[in-house]
Structure formats: C-alpha cells, structure tokens
Amino acid sequence: MIADVLSDATARMNRALEAAKDDFGTVRTGRANPQMFAKILVSYYGTLTPLEQLASLQNQEARTMLIGPYDKSALRDIEIAIRDTPNLGANVGNDGTTIRATLPELTTERRKEFVKIVKAKAEDARISVRNIRRKAKDELDALKSEVGDDEVGRAEKELELITKSHVDGIDDAFKRKEAELLEI
C-alpha cells in the first residue's frame, strides 16, 4: 500500500517535471525553436488545434521558422494565429504554400521579462509538485491505522526526498533556461 502511494506520487511528480520543461520550451530565446510554435492554437474549421498537428515546423535559420501547412486552406488561419500569439512577436509572411516566421532580436529588457515569465512557470511547477506531495501525505496518514506509525514515518521521509529531487529538477531546468535567455 505504501509502495503504491509512493510510486503514484513519483509518477505524477515526473509528469509535472516534464510538463514544466515543455512549458519552458515555449518561451522564446534568441533562436527560433519548433517547440515555441508547436503549442500555438489555430482556429481550424471552428476548432482550436495545436499548430504541430496542422503543419510541419522546420528551423531554416537561427531566427527563422519555416511552417508548411498540411492543408493549404489553413494557411491564413495559421498565419493569423502566429501573428496574434503574445510574447512571440514574430514577423510572418507567406508565399502561398509556406509561412516564414522571423523572430526579432531580443532586447535586454525583453530578455528579463522572459526570465520573469519562466520564473513564474517554475513556481507553478513547484506548487504542483508540492500539491502532489500533500495528497500523497494525506493518503499515507490514512494508512497509519493499518501499517503503523513507524512505517508511515519512513514513507514520509522517502516522500520528502522524492519531492526534493523533483523540485531540484525544476530549479535546474529553470537555471538552464535563464542562462539561455540571458545569453547574448
């Protein structure tokens, strides 16, 4: 029972850590990155659809992304969605078959704004991990009558170690992204 609670908490914390890393990837740096464009939602026949399902994304140059829609009728909708995406600021143009999105150079103050955005995303991820820990601790406390205080105490210490390793993972990912953002 205790092992099930701990393995479930570990799996959920792993998912939270991976979600945080994916979230960090959506914040732009000085270079174009397909991950930044993948989560953009495009109105496709009245349904919001992620761009990665509607088009191929290729890095053409350091700051240019080439987007090739699978359905040419979605070209205009994709172009509008990219142009209207906040915090991206891409200059968008199309030649009738593909879209070329060019990212402008980042200013120092814009880089600092992006660091703040990533910091907020990191804090949200830490909160998520702590919520998972709290739920697992409640489940462990409910098992006290069945397995005893000593077993639950050991499991809680192990839960704290698992939580710390995941929070450290989020912090490491944040530091890497911060360094990438501030690199000129």
Side-chain angles (χ1 to χ4, degrees):
M1 287 190 218
I2 288 176
D4 293 340
V5 171
L6 291 176
S7 67
D8 180 52
T10 302
R12 292 176 62 203
M13 286 182 191
N14 285 337
R15 285 194 300 271
L17 177 60
E18 289 306 311
K21 288 178 181 177
D22 287 346
D23 220 10
F24 292 167
T26 63
V27 176
R28 73 168 278 219
T29 57
R31 296 176 284 284
N33 176 352
Q35 216 176 9
M36 295 174 1
F37 292 84
K39 302 263 191 238
I40 294 175
L41 295 177
V42 179
S43 177
Y44 183 64
Y45 291 110
T47 305
L48 291 178
T49 309
L51 179 58
E52 65 186 348
Q53 294 178 10
L54 295 175
S56 65
L57 304 169
Q58 299 173 355
N59 256 13
Q60 187 177 26
E61 296 169 6
R63 294 185 302 124
T64 304
M65 184 65 59
L66 196 61
I67 300 144
Y70 302 130
D71 179 5
K72 301 302 180 207
S73 67
L75 191 74
R76 186 79 182 128
D77 294 330
I78 292 171
E79 189 176 355
I80 291 169
I82 293 170
R83 186 176 295 129
D84 294 345
T85 300
N87 297 324
L88 192 59
N91 297 322
V92 183
N94 79 56
D95 61 7
T97 57
T98 59
I99 297 171
R100 211 177 291 305
T102 305
L103 301 175
E105 281 289 329
L106 288 177
T107 62
T108 304
E109 34 186 78
R110 192 77 172 130
R111 290 175 189 273
K112 289 179 181 175
E113 286 177 33
F114 284 143
V115 168
K116 288 179 187 174
I117 291 170
V118 172
K119 193 174 204 172
K121 290 176 184 274
E123 186 56 33
D124 290 345
R126 285 187 211 103
I127 289 169
S128 175
V129 167
R130 290 183 193 124
N131 286 340
I132 294 166
R133 176 190 65 194
R134 185 179 332 112
K135 185 175 183 289
K137 188 172 179 339
D138 291 344
E139 290 174 14
L140 289 172
D141 288 342
L143 294 174
K144 270 187 183 177
S145 62
E146 296 176 37
V147 294
D149 290 342
D150 291 345
E151 290 294 320
V152 171
R154 279 192 281 278
E156 286 177 356
K157 286 180 183 173
E158 189 175 338
L159 180 62
E160 288 302 318
L161 291 173
I162 293 167
T163 303
K164 183 179 179 346
S165 72
H166 284 85
V167 169
D168 289 346
I170 291 168
D171 291 342
D172 289 344
F174 167 69
K175 287 177 186 166
R176 279 193 304 276
K177 187 65 175 185
E178 181 181 34
E180 187 180 328
L181 281 166
L182 295 176
E183 174 187 311
I184 295 178

